[in-house]
């Protein structure tokens, strides 16, 4: 960044005062939510807001007994907060790049750690990757979202979309896998040669294999997973 006077810096970096969409990228790494009623967001992602907005952590029974049972039995779950009211809400997650999707009846599955926010009209379901739970610390979980509305996801640096075609499966590292089309179901496999080379406890030996037709979004970064806490 070059040298600025204070006024020049303010003009260059100030918020957009115009009326914007419900979800708007204020910068590539800051999401502006023009809140009228309610939005679901990743817990801890609020960096600023204006107006009258109330924040609540997701409660265990918020989405019914089925979701509660999954969380209680697995110790996994997307840690969400509910923001209600009217105003401008600014969200970010560790400086990660933000991508906004507008779903029109489609579905997308997102790594639980990479889901930033979604409109309340979106249907969602936590899905466990049980086969991998014992292989990586804390295991992995993902969230399938479908319906009509906006979803914001995050990635470390620029994401890459890989097309999955019949007969041409795509193999990815779980820590670098951000999201995939909702009709794909990944299979997990262990590469014995890599496992032997890197050591018995290495997560590098686990791979995700996507077969069929759709897409997979990956990032040039491997996230490390630890056992998450369940919101109550």
């Amino acid at each position: 960044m070059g040298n600025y006077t204070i006024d020049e810096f303010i003009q260059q970096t100030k918020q957009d005062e115009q009326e914007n969409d419900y979800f708007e990228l204020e910068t590539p790494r800051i999401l502006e939510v023009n809140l009228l009623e309610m939005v679901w967001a990743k817990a801890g992602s609020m960096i600023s807001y204006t107006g009258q907005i109330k924040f609540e952590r997701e409660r265990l029974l918020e989405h019914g007994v089925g979701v509660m049972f999954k969380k209680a039995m697995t110790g996994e779950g997307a840690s969400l907060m509910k923001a209600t009211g009217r105003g401008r809400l600014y969200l970010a997650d560790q400086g990660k790049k933000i991508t906004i999707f507008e779903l029109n009846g489609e579905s997308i599955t997102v790594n639980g750690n990479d889901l930033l926010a979604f409109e309340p009209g979106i249907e969602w379901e936590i899905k466990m990757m049980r086969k991998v739970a014992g292989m990586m610390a804390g295991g992995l979980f993902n969230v399938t979202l479908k319906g009509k509305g906006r979803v914001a996801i995050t990635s470390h640096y620029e994401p890459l979309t890989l097309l999955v075609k019949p007969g041409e499966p795509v193999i990815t590292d779980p820590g670098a896998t951000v999201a995939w089309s909702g009709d794909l179901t990944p299979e997990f496999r262990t590469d014995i040669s890599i496992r032997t080379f890197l050591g018995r406890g290495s997560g590098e030996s686990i791979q995700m294999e996507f077969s069929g037709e759709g897409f997979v979004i990956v990032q040039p970064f491997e996230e490390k997973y630890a056992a998450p806490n369940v919101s109550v």
Side-chain angles (χ1 to χ4, degrees), residues 42-62:
K42 185 174 184 176
S45 62
M46 185 276 288
I47 59 171
S48 182
Y49 70 91
T50 62
Q52 300 298 316
I53 301 177
K54 180 181 177 182
F55 299 92
E56 296 177 277
R57 287 294 291 260
E58 173 199 17
R59 296 187 298 274
L60 208 57
L61 284 171
E62 186 87 47

Side-chain angles (χ1 to χ4, degrees), residues 4 12 27 45 51-53 59 66 68 72 82 84 95 105 110 116 119 134 156 168 178-179 188 192 203 213 225:
Y4 294 99
Q12 183 77 14
T27 77
S45 62
Q52 300 298 316
I53 301 177
R59 296 187 298 274
M68 180 198 73
K82 179 168 61 173
T84 56
V110 183
L116 181 63
E119 292 191 58
H156 288 277
E168 299 179 22
V178 175
F188 292 89
I192 300 300
E213 190 166 7
Y225 298 96

Side-chain angles (χ1 to χ4, degrees), residues 157-202:
Y157 312 108
E158 298 293 331
L160 172 68
T161 300
L162 305 169
L163 298 181
V164 182
K165 301 176 183 178
E168 299 179 22
V170 170
I171 314 298
T172 66
D173 182 288
T177 307
V178 175
W180 55 92
S181 46
D183 53 346
L184 293 179
T185 301
E187 292 291 330
F188 292 89
R189 67 186 197 182
T190 302
D191 189 307
I192 300 300
S193 61
I194 296 180
R195 189 180 183 88
T196 302
F197 177 72
L198 291 170
R200 184 177 178 184
S202 173

Side-chain angles (χ1 to χ4, degrees), residues 1-18:
M1 180 176 288
N3 295 324
Y4 294 99
T5 66
I6 293 294
D7 285 344
E8 287 171 342
F9 182 78
I10 291 171
Q11 289 300 315
Q12 183 77 14
T13 61
K14 70 178 181 179
Q15 68 193 66
D16 181 1
E17 296 289 351
Q18 298 178 356

Side-chain angles (χ1 to χ4, degrees), residues 210-228:
F210 295 87
S211 301
E213 190 166 7
F215 64 85
V216 182
I217 302 171
V218 294
Q219 62 185 359
F221 183 94
E222 287 184 58
E223 296 195 47
K224 306 300 180 185
Y225 298 96

Side-chain angles (χ1 to χ4, degrees), residues 2 11 40 42 52 55 59 64 69 71 79 89 93 97-98 132 135 157 168 189 210 212-213 231:
Q11 289 300 315
W40 284 106
K42 185 174 184 176
Q52 300 298 316
F55 299 92
R59 296 187 298 274
F69 178 76
K71 287 188 171 186
S79 227
L89 171 61
D93 184 15
K97 182 179 175 63
I98 300 169
V132 80
M135 304 179 193
Y157 312 108
E168 299 179 22
R189 67 186 197 182
F210 295 87
E213 190 166 7
S231 302

Side-chain angles (χ1 to χ4, degrees), residues 25 28-30 93-99 116 153-159:
L25 285 181
R29 291 168 174 79
I30 298 177
D93 184 15
Q94 302 179 57
K96 294 163 70 175
K97 182 179 175 63
I98 300 169
T99 301
L116 181 63
I153 69 171
T154 60
S155 62
H156 288 277
Y157 312 108
E158 298 293 331

